Amino acid sequence: MELTGAQALIKSLEQQGVDTVFGLPGGAILPVYDPLLDSSIRHILVRHEQGAGHMAEGYALATGRPGVAMVTSGPGSTNIVTPITNAHMDSTPLVVVTGQVATTSIGLDAFQECDITGITMGVTKHNFLVRSAHEIPRAIAAAFHLATTGRPGPVLVDLPKDVAQSTMEWWYPAGVDELELPGYRALAPLDEGEVDRAVSLIASAQRPVLYVGGGTLKSRATDELRAFAERTGIPVVTTLMARGAFPNSHELFLGMPGMHGTYSAITAMQRSDLLIVLGARFDDRVTGRTTAFAPEAKVIHIDIDRAELGKIRRPDVAIQGDVATALRALEAAGAAPASLATWWSEIRSWQAAYPLTYDEAPVDGPLRPQHVIETLAANAPEGTIVASGVGQHQMWTAQFWPFEEPHSWVNSGGAGTMGFGVPAAIGAKVGRPDRTVWCIDGDGCFQMTAQELVTARSEGIPIKVAILNNSYLGMVRQWQEMFYDERYSEVYLSPDLPDYVKWAEAMGCVGLRATNPKEMRDVIDEANAIDDVPVVIDFRVDATEKVFPMVPAGASNDDVLVHPSQRKETR
Amino acid sequence: MNTPEPFAGEPVHTPVRHHILSVLVENKSGVLARVAGLFARRGFNIYSLAVAPAERHARFSRITIVVDAESAPLEQVVGQLDKLVNVVDISDIAPREAVERELLLATIPTDVSNRTSLLDILGLAGASIIDVDPGAITVMLAGTPTSCDELERALEDHASVELHRTGRLAVPRLGRDVPPATSERGPR
Ligand SMILES: Cc1ncc(C[n+]2csc(CCOP(=O)(O)OP(=O)(O)O)c2C)c(N)n1
Ligand SMILES: [Mg+2]
């Protein structure tokens, strides 16, 4: 069967089981948009290519399947570099197809030429420039294989226009052996010796903590984690990337570690004598000053990426491997500590003294952002997926949203990309149309990518957006208040410019506003009653509210600033 | 993993602690940029780098990289390098277990006044003359990095010498326990 390169590309995506592509056409990718008309693949036309990338990420985070985006060359391709970087930092499986100028024009500064494989070399797991139509099936199959196996990540396939227009005899790689990846092996076998050493470290631990990272979700190891934790009674902390990997309501759960983690999670790690690290990477936002982090702890580090083992903290036992497989091996070996009663009584005292807290909202407003989040969660159906932007609202969501299941949290961790929330929520809803999807966004973030609500409305993707409108780039404001003597520099936005309700309406969404707790409850009910169009709520929250606990940047995790109401006179 | 050893000999060019990585890569366009880009991005210092098609398989190239072992832990360098999809195999060779050689070419202006001293220097170094014209000679030395360092220093007094070095190649020394390749992968 003779196909054009463009047809071969679409057919290859179909072979991979792709049901949705997020994208926006242009000159160099034009040939591919024609056979798309005849395909069963749903294409979602975004308003900005950054939106396509974050939607693909949201889709991937909510479903565990790779997200796919397609854009044109030059500015189309550079517009998607931010989501690619974001996916790279968070190990999210993504396949991005970019159009490229014809092979005969490459290197000649042709119209909309851009060396996107060069630009993305450092922020993709791998990328390909496809030089012949015959190579398209292999490139696509390899892209999916690379994106989804081992440590997942974004893979970019750059497709020159003449390659898309030329013809090939259809074929498809029968298996991994035909992908011509002689240098790639997704998984190394577990080292049994290291597993045995881990078992004996666990056996002698008195203050162990399970430090659970995003890799636990990536390897779908949440059942194994729960079984292991319940059998051993070891306390669990889940990083920002791993919210939902372990139920918040579980008695073994301590919360999130790190800069805005719970006091008990941070302090348990600091006092721990054994950290069992599952698919986490000692990010600086978790460790605080690394030299002061968990000073007495031995470390069992389990990660699929061997370069993570010892990158920041030298492990006592390093297990390169998939988290689920490693946990099963630890289970099979019956790894267990002795009694943790003393350890737990210490932990319980920290939990009792320093729970997450906030001041009650005045009846007349403004609202407390944490209260808004708790009320949204309390009224959300089971299985709701929550996305967020980056800033205070993100940290409050991570703290106060009761995560109970994996893949219910769609978030930008490693890159901290403002504007991630709205498009990522759209992608999540496309992937899980059966679920309610809330985006808890900041006013600053919302203004970066809000135009994708036009996409949501026109494609019939009814997400719900809660803007925690504090009229500030709040997180930066918090740092200026606390560490720059309240000298506020370029952080004020405005509560009503733009008018978020009118803006929402202009984009075909329902726009609502709440300024006090009574209105808050009413608009949440109203929003929950709508399921056919996107809803945007402008929650007017207190601009001076800060995120606590906080470990100041560069400080030791021993120096946690708890909520002002919990500070003792002597502190 | 081998601990980098202090380099034997006068460390004129060579960093005090260096390590040699012999990296087999797919012979595709852009692969060298990927390797070099990784080193730049992660702050690993390259002291020298030599590339050529590998052995009999034209599908692969071999890159010999001398890494400044002070700039990053070797496991980190190897671990990150190993993640590049086009990198097929990595062997790391501790200098004390390596046979290292480098090629030096130098063109030196000559006249009656310097000819004798120059010939002495070249004779002592074991360099050979590979090109001549009335006003200059071109010499080569294939030798240990130290011997190249020494020749380079000896030639410093000779005005307007044009001198090029290839960077080193290395293979494990015979008759020792050759360290295993740090990467478990090989061409399939
Ligand atoms: C693209 C991008 N630019 C800048 C920043 C730095 N930054 C981090 S949080 C933040 C403020 C976000 O403001 P908003 O969305 O209103 O959230 P808030 O903190 O007020 O909840 C800024 C500017 C960033 N993370 N991403
Ligand atoms: Mg704000």
Side-chain angles (χ1 to χ4, degrees):
Chain A
M1 178 178 34
E2 188 172 88
L3 297 183
T4 64
Q7 288 169 327
L9 182 92
I10 296 297
K11 203 167 162 61
S12 300
L13 294 177
E14 288 168 354
Q15 288 281 328
Q16 289 298 144
V18 173
D19 56 18
T20 310
V21 171
F22 304 91
L24 194 151
I29 196 75
L30 247 169
V32 181
Y33 271 80
D34 186 74
L36 188 63
L37 286 173
D38 307 320
S39 170
S40 60
I41 294 174
R42 178 183 188 189
H43 181 273
I44 291 184
L45 175 62
V46 298
R47 269 41 179 186
H48 186 295
E49 290 88 348
Q50 183 186 358
H54 291 322
M55 285 178 206
E57 290 184 88
Y59 177 98
L61 290 170
T63 63
R65 299 196 300 272
V68 184
M70 187 158 75
V71 298
T72 193
S73 67
S77 67
T78 55
N79 273 350
I80 205 163
V81 171
T82 297
I84 290 173
T85 307
N86 191 80
H88 187 61
M89 294 296 280
D90 287 348
S91 306
T92 305
L94 221 59
V95 173
V96 177
V97 179
T98 50
Q100 182 55 279
V101 300
T103 49
T104 47
S105 300
I106 289 179
L108 304 179
D109 307 313
F111 178 64
Q112 292 190 332
E113 179 180 356
C114 159
D115 174 19
I116 196 63
T117 49
I119 287 175
T120 58
M121 210 171 256
V123 292
T124 48
K125 183 166 171 183
H126 193 57
N127 59 30
F128 299 92
L129 172 63
V130 184
R131 290 176 185 278
S132 77
H134 176 74
E135 283 301 311
I136 290 173
R138 194 191 327 272
I140 293 297
F144 278 86
H145 179 63
L146 291 170
T148 54
T149 57
R151 180 176 182 167
V155 179
L156 181 140
V157 179
D158 202 20
L159 182 69
K161 189 169 187 175
D162 56 339
V163 174
Q165 285 167 326
S166 63
T167 56
M168 52 91 77
E169 186 57 32
W170 171 252
W171 72 289
Y172 204 73
V176 175
D177 288 346
E178 287 184 30
L179 299 183
E180 297 188 355
L181 299 170
Y184 183 72
R185 182 174 294 169
L187 255 186
L190 278 195
D191 182 336
E192 297 296 334
E194 292 291 284
V195 173
D196 291 346
R197 301 233 307 278
V199 171
S200 64
L201 276 189
I202 293 170
S204 57
Q206 292 179 327
R207 300 187 303 281
V209 173
L210 280 158
Y211 162 16
V212 175
T216 307
L217 289 169
K218 300 282 164 10
S219 80
R220 299 176 185 275
T222 53
D223 290 345
E224 286 82 355
L225 167 64
R226 187 161 176 166
F228 183 77
E230 286 179 348
R231 190 180 52 77
T232 58
I234 299 175
V236 177
V237 307
T238 59
T239 66
L240 179 66
M241 291 309 299
R243 312 299 282 143
F246 195 77
N248 271 25
S249 57
H250 201 287
E251 57 171 7
L252 297 174
F253 185 66
L254 306 190
M256 179 169 76
M259 182 174 269
H260 293 297
T262 59
Y263 182 89
S264 55
I266 298 168
T267 307
M269 289 171 100
Q270 284 303 92
R271 302 279 178 277
S272 170
D273 67 352
L274 178 66
L275 294 178
I276 305 167
V277 188
L278 305 178
R281 59 182 176 85
F282 295 91
D283 183 87
D284 53 89
R285 287 301 191 257
V286 167
T287 62
R289 186 161 14 98
T290 42
T291 49
F293 175 65
E296 291 149 39
K298 289 208 161 41
V299 169
I300 299 171
H301 195 169
I302 300 171
D303 202 288
I304 202 159
D305 179 355
R306 94 187 229 212
E308 290 301 342
L309 306 174
K311 184 183 79 177
I312 307 286
R313 170 86 170 228
R314 180 152 294 283
D316 297 274
V317 174
I319 301 181
Q320 188 197 351
D322 168 68
V323 173
T325 314
L327 278 176
R328 281 196 291 268
L330 290 176
E331 267 309 87
S339 165
L340 299 178
T342 325
W343 181 221
W344 271 110
S345 74
E346 257 185 289
I347 291 172
R348 294 293 181 224
S349 73
W350 300 325
Q351 287 178 313
Y354 304 108
L356 287 171
T357 185
Y358 56 91
D359 296 331
E360 204 177 310
V363 202
D364 301 334
L367 295 163
R368 297 277 179 214
Q370 304 92 330
H371 188 208
V372 176
I373 293 165
E374 285 191 330
T375 316
L376 286 169
N379 291 282
E382 205 176 307
T384 294
I385 294 171
V386 60
S388 87
V390 168
Q392 291 180 308
H393 63 281
Q394 172 194 30
M395 291 298 119
W396 286 316
T397 307
Q399 291 178 332
F400 288 93
W401 191 277
F403 295 98
E404 291 295 318
E405 31 170 316
H407 304 290
S408 60
W409 174 226
V410 173
N411 154 78
S412 163
T417 305
M418 281 179 70
F420 175 82
V422 167
I426 294 171
K429 180 75 182 169
V430 170
R432 300 301 306 266
D434 53 319
R435 301 295 181 98
T436 296
V437 178
W438 272 105
C439 169
I440 299 183
D441 217 359
D443 45 331
C445 287
F446 184 80
Q447 292 189 54
M448 288 200 178
T449 48
Q451 79 280 355
E452 298 308 340
L453 284 168
V454 179
T455 306
R457 172 59 209 252
S458 58
E459 294 279 345
I461 308 161
I463 62 161
K464 304 186 198 302
V465 183
I467 305 172
L468 300 185
N469 178 2
N470 55 7
S471 68
Y472 275 97
L473 297 171
M475 185 56 93
V476 184
R477 185 196 178 284
Q478 172 166 348
W479 285 49
Q480 291 178 348
E481 178 181 331
M482 294 174 64
F483 311 116
Y484 289 87
D485 296 330
E486 300 178 37
R487 283 162 54 84
Y488 298 114
S489 175
E490 303 300 323
V491 287
Y492 181 67
L493 300 172
S494 160
D496 46 18
L497 179 66
D499 181 324
Y500 294 100
V501 171
K502 284 190 186 155
W503 192 7
E505 286 168 358
M507 293 187 287
C509 307
V510 173
L512 302 168
R513 176 172 294 131
T515 57
N516 61 48
K518 160 92 181 56
E519 288 173 9
M520 174 188 77
R521 279 182 282 271
D522 291 346
V523 294
I524 290 174
D525 287 345
E526 216 176 313
N528 282 332
I530 298 166
D531 63 2
D532 52 346
V533 292
V535 189
V536 177
I537 311 179
D538 173 12
F539 289 104
R540 297 293 173 87
V541 303
D542 188 342
T544 63
E545 192 62 34
K546 286 176 285 298
V547 186
F548 289 114
M550 177 172 195
V551 179
S556 156
N557 277 2
D558 288 331
D559 302 325
V560 191
L561 285 171
V562 293
H563 189 268
S565 67
Q566 298 168 334
R567 292 180 202 162
K568 302 197 182 74
E569 301 303 315
T570 53
R571 265 180 171 268
Chain B
M1 192 109 356
N2 303 296
T3 330
E5 283 295 303
F7 181 70
E10 286 266 323
V12 177
H13 297 282
T14 315
V16 182
R17 278 152 56 87
H18 75 287
H19 218 96
I20 306 152
L21 295 177
S22 178
V23 185
L24 193 69
V25 299
E26 286 184 84
N27 190 359
K28 287 185 172 168
S29 74
V31 173
L32 184 58
R34 288 179 200 274
V35 172
L38 171 74
F39 275 72
R41 199 157 67 235
R42 299 253 173 208
F44 308 152
N45 293 339
I46 296 178
Y47 166 64
S48 83
L49 184 144
V51 203
E55 295 128 41
R56 297 158 306 267
H57 347 264
R59 241 187 107 188
F60 301 109
S61 289
R62 181 167 301 281
I63 307 182
T64 307
I65 311 172
V66 179
V67 195
D68 173 357
E70 311 260 297
S71 70
L74 190 68
E75 314 85 280
Q76 231 338 263
V77 180
V78 173
Q80 296 294 354
L81 205 50
D82 198 28
K83 285 200 280 180
L84 293 182
V85 170
N86 299 124
V87 168
V88 175
D89 187 56
I90 308 168
S91 7
D92 80 85
I93 315 174
R96 107 187 99 91
E97 281 151 359
V99 181
E100 301 175 78
R101 287 298 179 273
E102 192 172 351
L103 177 66
L104 176 155
L105 294 181
T107 297
I108 313 155
T110 54
D111 55 36
V112 195
S113 70
N114 73 358
R115 193 154 292 157
T116 324
S117 67
L118 194 57
L119 290 178
D120 280 351
I121 292 172
L122 298 176
L124 213 60
S128 45
I129 298 172
I130 54 171
D131 200 11
V132 263
D133 82 357
I137 56 170
T138 294
V139 304
M140 68 161 250
L141 174 66
T144 62
T146 323
S147 67
C148 291
D149 288 351
E150 280 165 2
L151 178 59
E152 186 172 351
R153 226 169 325 137
L155 291 174
E156 260 163 22
D157 298 338
H158 290 265
S160 55
V161 173
E162 184 165 335
L163 187 143
H164 301 252
R165 294 171 63 163
T166 54
R168 71 190 68 186
L169 299 181
V171 290
R173 222 176 256 290
L174 298 176
R176 296 217 186 183
D177 279 346
V178 176
T182 48
S183 158
E184 285 152 17
R185 308 173 318 195
R188 282 203 288 264

